[in-house]
Amino acid sequence: MTDSLDNQVRELRSMLDMSTNAVLFTGAGISTESGIPDFRSPGGIWTKYQPIPFDEFLASEEARLEYWRRSFARHDNLVAAKPNRGHRAVAHLIREGTATAVITQNIDGLHQVSGIPEGKVIELHGNATYAECLDCLESFELGGIRDAFERDETLPVCDICGGIVKLATVSFGQAMPENWMAQAEHHTLACDLFVVLGSSLVVFPAASFPVVAKRNGARLVIVNREPTDIDDMADLVIHGEIGPTLGSAVGVN
Ligand code: NAD
Ligand code: ZN
């Protein structure tokens, strides 16, 4: 670690020590060290595919077929991934009570796997480890859906109401989950320190939370390999890797 990075890590540690009510906000960047590509880094998912918007998914069977082909192509990597040092540091901050919750844009479920109780992980964009009926919201495991799809590209249909079944994630153009949005807003307005870990901060409305926290008087920290559009607004910006940076700041390996 360079001298200046060392100083920044010390500053982050003291900001965490002083905080009585921090919120952690994570993006795809916290999971790249677990082998899950993000969207916008070189080699990220978007260099390969454009996302399928929700209205196309609903309107076209061909879009649904393509959606499930892509989902299953990524699924093995997703379920094989393990939490990394960054996730462990986040879990430590929640366990010791420094942070009240983690608001995440991630859909990989790794915060829960790292030991954070369900109620403290606010999943703004849902979860890709299971599927849900769009009409009655019944949940489905992916195993059976995948077997049928890989056999003859059978598209999943809800066996309760006949509705369309999709991963329990929020696609572009799909409504945000109201309960999670309300909880994220509550924590954002209550916190005295808001720490962004690995988000490009370009996907809205999620990216508005750090701005709301800062305007409401919280201190703002951004940890990212690269600059973001709101670095100027932050009290501390660390351009480094999340695992080593946060791990050193909180003393977790
Ligand atoms: P993004 O891909 O737009 O941005 C990731 C950011 O993290 C980039 O700015 C990159 O510079 C930074 N980064 C990557 N690895 C890093 C590391 N090890 N240390 C420090 N910085 C690092 O991701 P986003 O802002 O979360 O938005 C993308 C959307 O994609 C989200 O809505 C999310 O739902 C979805 N997504 C989720 C996953 C996942 O669940 N793991 C993966 C890809 C995309
Ligand atoms: Zn249903």
Side-chain angles (χ1 to χ4, degrees), residues 1 12 14 22 40 57 73 79 82 85 90 116 135 155 169 172 197 206 213 220 227 243:
M1 232 175 242
L12 174 56
S14 91
R40 292 176 182 78
F57 176 89
V79 293
K82 302 268 183 303
R85 194 175 175 194
V90 166
I116 304 177
D135 292 333
L155 284 168
T169 55
F172 282 94
L197 301 162
L220 176 63

Side-chain angles (χ1 to χ4, degrees), residues 133 136 158 161:
C133 169
C136 74
C158 176
C161 77

Side-chain angles (χ1 to χ4, degrees), residues 28-40:
I30 198 172
S31 294
T32 57
E33 292 165 54
S34 294
I36 302 176
D38 62 9
F39 272 175
R40 292 176 182 78

Side-chain angles (χ1 to χ4, degrees), residues 25-34 36-42 44-46 74 78 84 87 104-110 124-126 128 169-170 172 197-203 206-207 223-228 238-245:
F25 178 92
T26 62
I30 198 172
S31 294
T32 57
E33 292 165 54
S34 294
I36 302 176
D38 62 9
F39 272 175
R40 292 176 182 78
S41 290
I45 293 165
W46 277 10
R74 293 212 300 260
L78 198 76
N84 65 55
H87 293 105
T104 190
Q105 299 179 83
N106 293 346
I107 55 174
D108 54 34
L110 287 180
L124 292 180
H125 295 162
T169 55
V170 179
F172 282 94
L197 301 162
S199 173
S200 59
L201 297 175
V202 297
V203 180
V223 183
N224 199 307
R225 279 178 185 156
E226 290 175 359
T228 73
I238 304 182
H239 289 151
E241 297 293 299
I242 295 161
T245 304

